[in-house]
Amino acid sequence: MDFQMVNNRTNKQISTGPDPLRQKRLSSFQGESEEREKDSTIESFVTNFSNIFESDLLPNQNGEELTERFLHEVVGILLSYIKKTYDGKTKVLDFHHPHQLLEGLEGFSVELSDQPEPLEQILVDCRDTLKYGVKTGHPRYFNQLSSGLDIVGLAGEWLTATANTNMFTYEIAPVFIVMEEIILRKMQEIIGWGESEADGIFSPGGSISNLYSVLVARYKRYPEIKTKGMAAIPDIILFVSEHSHYSVKKAAAVLGIGMDNVIVVKCDERGKMIPSELEENIIQVKKQGKVPLYVSATAGTTVYGAFDPLVHIADICEKYNLWMHVDAAWGGGLLLSRRHSHKLSGIERANSVTWNPHKLMGVPLQCSAFLVREKGLLQACNQLCAGYLFQPDKQYDTAYDTGDKAIQCGRHVDVFKLWLMWRAKGTRGFETLINRFLELAEYLYKELKTRKNYELVFDAEPELTNVCFWYIPPSLRKIPKGPEREKILHQVAPKIKARMIEEGTTMVSYQPHGNHVNFFRMVFSNPATKKPDVDFLLEEIERLGKDL
């Protein structure tokens, strides 16, 4: 390509007047690019992108070489970020307030312009977007249930984006559709369902998978709902535990059932639903002339990591003819562990299950499966037979056109990264990973019991990887337990978290729950985390909070 011609042509597109901050940023990028070239094991092309624009890339007729060079630079930025992510000496985040990001940082602006920016600026934007974000794969990032950065999963996500297809029909996503069937069948087998009877679909997160469960349960009992609406059916009641995920209430609101028709069942001190309380609530609802329809049991609650007694709940659901859903979004991964799978005993009796591989299995976000024991029900509930997509006279088996099972039309390919990781690790590889997470949780639990500055929210060995605790500053240790102490303690975790974020050294979540004032909730789902990182967290909390 004639680069002088490109330069001459694109000069017209460059904005008038140099921005000093932007020029500083571009100069910094060029220096880092040249430095990276010296160390990179990947072939690197030094190209001046300051006068090259997106329109010069493929599908431009002469864009092949520039496209290759541009993508090499992008890969260089990503590799640099990945290395920093795994380096425990780096910060988890470089925190800035929203107004700072909106106003712009050292030439990094999130504002949109009418005229195109040169690719050099685009590369700077890529680097700065990562710089000012959170390294969720960092070994000291413990903030959410989904964390870590699996390299094979990342490769799967890159390939998925490159393929850029839609999951509604076999004709445009043949390999991915078949992979989804294979993965769903494997997950159903692990749950304990027969191959011929079960069905499922990947959805955009556990909340939508839980919504599917309510949708399908309602359709199973009242198929007329699909055409006639809520006015055609009696008042239906859903049951969840005190520690359940809020998404079931949200589903009730979205589906027109109403949050007032979701009954919250009491839990024991450990956070498990009490079966006798569930049965008592069902009997009371029947006396009121309403229809008890659905129970959502939880296998791994969000805060405590508790497992509801699935066998007892299944007995009650069978006795009163209720749909039993198991929200195993968080704890489903334990099914892959021969050491821990017994904690989900009874899940095979569920009518439906939510299972999020993007949590305990470490698959990149997002990856959630909704699994249902009765084949054909998902299709009957959601099918509308759009003629422009689901023609019955195609040359292949149209049972593989799975799009009509979904409430969406367009559906992202979430299965490939999971399939690729399963190929790379095998089931036993996932088992090893998950067992290690539980070992880290046990290590933290035992450490907390030996340290005088910490108190456990409940003194029981962790069932999952959640460990909940308070840090007690020296100033609070002499104050007797009571309202005054609780009021002060409630402010401790937020203040430590604020300092933690400002310094960027680590991240862990906190929250109040029930009658408990704010406490830290530690979870393990990051394969990069080791015992020294756990020790660092405890020492960092003490360092940041000792003067409170």
Side-chain angles (χ1 to χ4, degrees):
M1 169 178 284
D2 186 341
F3 289 101
Q4 186 62 42
M5 180 179 70
V6 172
N7 290 347
N8 290 339
R9 175 170 60 78
T10 55
N11 277 339
K12 298 176 182 178
Q13 297 175 300
I14 300 173
S15 58
T16 59
D19 180 341
L21 284 175
R22 181 183 150 209
Q23 291 301 316
K24 176 184 173 184
R25 213 65 172 155
L26 293 175
S27 174
S28 171
F29 171 78
Q30 288 170 349
E32 288 186 16
S33 179
E34 290 168 6
E35 187 65 30
R36 189 174 63 247
E37 186 210 359
K38 295 177 186 177
D39 301 324
S40 178
T41 55
I42 297 176
E43 182 183 5
S44 179
F45 304 94
V46 178
T47 303
N48 180 3
F49 287 101
S50 61
N51 291 319
I52 300 172
F53 290 78
E54 178 273 338
S55 56
D56 297 315
L57 304 177
L58 288 173
N60 182 293
Q61 186 175 359
N62 299 312
E64 187 173 324
E65 186 178 350
L66 281 178
T67 297
E68 183 176 354
R69 295 183 181 190
F70 173 70
L71 291 178
H72 267 292
E73 289 292 340
V74 173
V75 169
I77 291 168
L78 295 175
L79 286 175
S80 175
Y81 177 79
I82 291 166
K83 290 174 185 175
K84 289 177 183 176
T85 291
Y86 285 119
D87 182 359
K89 296 175 184 176
T90 64
K91 286 187 174 185
V92 176
L93 76 160
D94 180 6
F95 178 76
H96 291 80
H97 289 278
H99 72 88
Q100 292 175 299
L101 287 172
L102 289 168
E103 291 165 4
L105 295 165
E106 298 183 54
F108 176 49
S109 171
V110 294
E111 294 298 325
L112 299 175
S113 57
D114 292 333
Q115 298 303 318
E117 296 281 358
L119 293 184
E120 188 163 53
Q121 181 62 47
I122 300 307
L123 291 168
V124 170
D125 291 343
C126 288
R127 186 190 61 185
D128 286 348
T129 298
L130 293 173
K131 172 180 168 58
Y132 295 116
V134 178
K135 297 185 184 77
T136 57
H138 194 286
R140 294 171 182 170
Y141 174 83
F142 312 110
N143 210 65
Q144 309 301 144
L145 302 184
S146 51
S147 65
L149 179 62
D150 187 275
I151 299 303
V152 173
L154 177 63
E157 193 69 88
W158 287 351
L159 187 145
T160 298
T162 304
N164 192 33
T165 193
N166 200 313
M167 286 292 282
F168 43 50
T169 62
Y170 177 86
E171 66 184 288
I172 65 165
V175 181
F176 296 137
I177 291 284
V178 170
M179 285 176 175
E180 184 174 64
E181 179 178 303
I182 294 295
I183 287 283
L184 290 171
R185 191 186 303 161
K186 183 71 171 177
M187 295 173 86
Q188 291 153 5
E189 175 191 320
I190 290 168
I191 287 170
W193 294 341
E195 179 183 317
S196 60
E197 59 180 343
D199 202 352
I201 200 162
F202 278 82
S203 81
S207 293
I208 301 300
S209 290
N210 285 342
L211 184 145
Y212 269 114
S213 71
V214 179
L215 185 69
V216 171
R218 185 178 64 175
Y219 177 82
K220 172 67 176 176
R221 179 78 67 91
Y222 301 107
E224 64 270 25
I225 186 73
K226 186 173 177 179
T227 52
K228 295 187 168 114
M230 286 294 289
I233 69 171
D235 289 339
I236 57 177
I237 303 296
L238 316 179
F239 299 88
V240 299
S241 85
E242 289 178 314
H243 287 244
S244 66
H245 195 263
Y246 68 89
S247 56
V248 177
K249 282 188 176 181
K250 185 170 280 192
V254 170
L255 296 174
I257 296 168
M259 291 190 298
D260 287 349
N261 291 317
V262 180
I263 291 180
V264 177
V265 180
K266 288 181 182 176
C267 291
D268 62 19
E269 185 184 56
R270 183 62 186 80
K272 300 170 182 285
M273 183 188 287
I274 302 171
S276 60
E277 291 284 340
L278 171 63
E279 186 165 21
E280 189 178 314
N281 276 288
I282 291 170
I283 292 168
Q284 188 64 31
V285 163
K286 289 171 74 71
K287 285 180 180 177
Q288 294 169 358
K290 297 178 181 180
V291 178
L293 176 76
Y294 163 107
V295 176
S296 178
T298 309
T301 57
T302 305
V303 180
Y304 282 10
F307 290 82
D308 287 338
L310 301 183
V311 172
H312 294 304
I313 292 170
D315 290 341
I316 292 168
C317 287
E318 286 180 10
K319 180 178 178 180
Y320 294 98
N321 191 30
L322 272 72
W323 182 281
M324 178 182 173
H325 176 66
V326 175
D327 179 1
W330 175 217
L334 289 197
L335 289 167
L336 302 171
S337 167
R338 287 167 291 187
R339 190 185 305 168
H340 298 286
S341 59
H342 67 91
K343 296 169 184 176
L344 292 94
S345 179
I347 194 172
E348 71 282 354
R349 296 172 63 186
N351 298 99
S352 58
V353 172
T354 291
W355 181 352
N356 284 8
H358 70 231
K359 289 191 169 80
L360 207 55
M361 294 171 71
V363 178
L365 285 161
Q366 59 194 13
C367 188
S368 175
F370 171 68
L371 305 146
V372 60
R373 193 168 64 184
E374 183 178 335
K375 198 169 185 68
L377 192 57
L378 198 55
Q379 184 92 5
C381 179
N382 296 315
Q383 185 177 44
L384 286 178
C385 303
Y388 74 99
L389 283 176
F390 307 114
Q391 304 91 340
D393 50 359
K394 293 179 180 179
Q395 78 274 27
Y396 58 83
D397 182 357
T398 56
Y400 287 91
D401 285 355
T402 57
D404 232 6
K405 293 195 293 187
I407 54 178
Q408 309 154 251
C409 176
R411 190 160 66 91
H412 186 261
V413 178
D414 291 328
V415 72
F416 180 69
K417 55 199 170 187
L418 171 57
W419 179 88
L420 201 65
M421 285 176 64
W422 214 312
R423 294 275 287 182
K425 293 180 190 298
T427 307
R428 296 287 76 88
F430 279 122
E431 178 182 38
T432 300
L433 186 69
I434 288 163
N435 286 345
R436 191 161 69 242
F437 293 152
L438 271 291
E439 289 164 8
L440 284 169
E442 186 177 356
Y443 173 77
L444 172 60
Y445 166 73
K446 289 178 177 177
E447 278 292 307
L448 289 168
K449 285 178 71 70
T450 65
R451 299 193 181 214
K452 63 180 180 180
N453 298 329
Y454 290 94
E455 288 181 11
L456 289 158
V457 174
F458 52 88
D459 190 359
E461 289 193 9
E463 285 191 299
L464 197 43
T465 77
N466 308 50
V467 182
C468 301
F469 60 92
W470 289 284
Y471 169 69
I472 312 297
S475 64
L476 269 182
R477 282 181 222 147
K478 295 179 181 178
I479 301 177
K481 290 187 178 181
E484 181 189 352
R485 183 180 187 270
E486 294 287 282
K487 183 179 179 181
I488 299 169
L489 183 58
H490 187 62
Q491 302 172 46
V492 170
K495 287 180 179 178
I496 292 175
K497 178 67 178 284
R499 293 177 179 183
M500 191 181 284
I501 286 179
E502 290 289 345
E503 297 203 17
T505 50
T506 184
M507 284 185 76
V508 64
S509 179
Y510 74 87
Q511 65 281 300
H513 202 284
N515 296 324
H516 293 310
V517 298
N518 281 321
F519 56 86
F520 289 110
R521 180 207 63 174
M522 180 71 166
V523 288
F524 295 95
S525 60
N526 187 340
T529 299
K530 303 290 186 294
K531 287 180 181 179
D533 300 306
V534 179
D535 296 334
F536 176 86
L537 173 74
L538 296 180
E539 289 157 12
E540 187 70 352
I541 288 174
E542 292 196 40
R543 183 182 73 84
L544 295 170
K546 63 186 177 183
D547 65 334
L548 294 177

